[in-house]
């Protein structure tokens, strides 16, 4: 009596192929002899009707890590807020000094960006920032820091002013500002919405409210 007779019907084909090298159970499923021999016995599974199904062995893949850009090659820019009655500025002179200490190449401040928040240009200059005009801060910055989402309408279309492939960090409110998000994406801009960071203990360091 064959040892297959002592096994559950659903297990017999797979065990037979693994112990005796017989490939006929797989040949019955329409696989060629080469394909049948290439399916490992450990990759067998059955559905609820006890039908045999070969499962291809999973192949390990290694995802290539994106190339990192050193801080020394990056310029951070802070434009003046143009939203009506907005008096805030995205960075203080103290944090300008911190970014430069971290190794960023330059910190560009649009002229008068901090006046409404009681941070004069002289304070930024003393901290190491470079005071520039509007066009320079938008065109020369790899990373832009803002309070409000960039405008998309009117003469000051800030989305079109962002460097293609650049990065912008602000309160973006992507659900309410979907056209802004889509316009940024069309220019290849990476955007970080500060309002989407969860208010949990681990994320308190990013709290900007």
């Amino acid at each position: 009596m064959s040892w297959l007779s002592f096994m559950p019907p659903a297990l017999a084909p797979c065990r037979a192929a693994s112990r005796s090298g017989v490939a006929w159970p797989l040949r019955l499923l329409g696989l060629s002899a080469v394909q049948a021999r290439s399916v490992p016995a450990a990759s067998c599974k059955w559905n609820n009707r006890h039908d045999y199904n070969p499962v291809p062995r999973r192949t390990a893949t290694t995802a290539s890590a994106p190339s990192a850009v050193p801080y020394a090659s990056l310029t951070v820019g802070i434009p003046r807020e143009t939203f009506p009655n907005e008096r805030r500025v995205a960075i203080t002179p103290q944090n300008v000094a911190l970014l430069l200490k971290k190794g960023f190449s330059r910190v560009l401040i649009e002229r008068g960006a901090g006046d409404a928040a009681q941070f004069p240009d002289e304070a930024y200059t003393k901290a190491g920032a470079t005071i520039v005009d509007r066009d320079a801060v938008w065109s020369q910055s790899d990373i832009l820091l803002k309070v409000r989402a960039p405008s998309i309408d009117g003469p000051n279309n800030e989305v079109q002013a962002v460097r293609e492939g650049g990065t912008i960090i602000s309160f973006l409110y992507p659900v309410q500002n979907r056209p802004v998000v889509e316009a940024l994406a069309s220019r290849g801009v990476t955007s970080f919405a500060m309002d989407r960071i969860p208010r949990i203990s681990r994320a308190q360091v990013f709290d900007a409210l």
Side-chain angles (χ1 to χ4, degrees):
M1 181 179 293
S2 170
W3 58 271
L4 292 175
S5 61
F6 296 97
M7 301 180 64
L11 297 179
C14 187
R15 295 293 177 84
S18 64
R19 296 194 180 186
S20 64
V22 178
W24 60 264
L26 304 183
R27 295 292 300 277
L28 293 177
L29 298 174
L31 298 178
S32 67
V34 175
Q35 290 173 323
R37 294 191 185 96
S38 66
V39 178
S43 298
C44 298
K45 73 173 183 179
W46 295 264
N47 58 26
N48 293 333
R49 299 177 61 186
H50 301 294
D51 296 326
Y52 173 75
N53 293 294
V55 181
R57 178 173 293 177
R58 183 177 297 176
T59 303
T61 58
T62 303
S64 58
S67 57
V69 179
Y71 287 171
S73 300
L74 296 174
T75 296
V76 180
I78 295 85
R80 182 171 58 86
E81 299 294 326
T82 58
F83 192 85
N85 300 319
E86 179 58 73
R87 302 178 62 84
R88 293 173 294 177
V89 64
I91 198 171
T92 64
Q94 179 182 1
N95 285 327
V96 166
L98 180 61
L99 289 180
L100 293 172
K101 184 178 180 180
K102 291 289 185 180
F104 284 94
S105 174
R106 294 184 300 165
V107 176
L108 305 181
I109 305 289
E110 181 180 350
R111 188 170 289 105
D115 287 349
Q118 306 301 314
F119 295 120
D121 291 344
E122 292 76 13
Y124 287 109
T125 302
K126 186 177 180 179
T130 303
I131 306 299
V132 296
D133 58 19
R134 178 184 183 276
D135 292 339
V137 74
W138 285 96
S139 63
Q140 298 179 23
S141 299
D142 301 294
I143 303 172
L144 282 161
L145 308 182
K146 276 182 56 55
V147 176
R148 296 277 185 167
S151 61
I152 195 173
D153 300 317
N156 292 326
N157 190 326
E158 295 175 333
V159 170
Q160 292 299 319
V162 180
R163 175 192 289 186
E164 290 191 8
T167 299
I168 187 166
I169 304 173
S170 72
F171 287 101
L172 194 55
Y173 302 106
V175 176
Q176 296 91 328
N177 294 321
R178 184 170 180 176
V180 175
V181 175
E182 292 175 346
L184 289 170
S186 68
R187 294 178 57 79
V189 176
T190 300
S191 54
F192 289 88
M194 296 297 296
D195 49 283
R196 301 300 296 173
I197 297 177
R199 303 204 70 190
I200 58 177
S201 298
R202 287 181 297 171
Q204 281 187 350
V205 67
F206 300 106
D207 196 345
L209 296 179

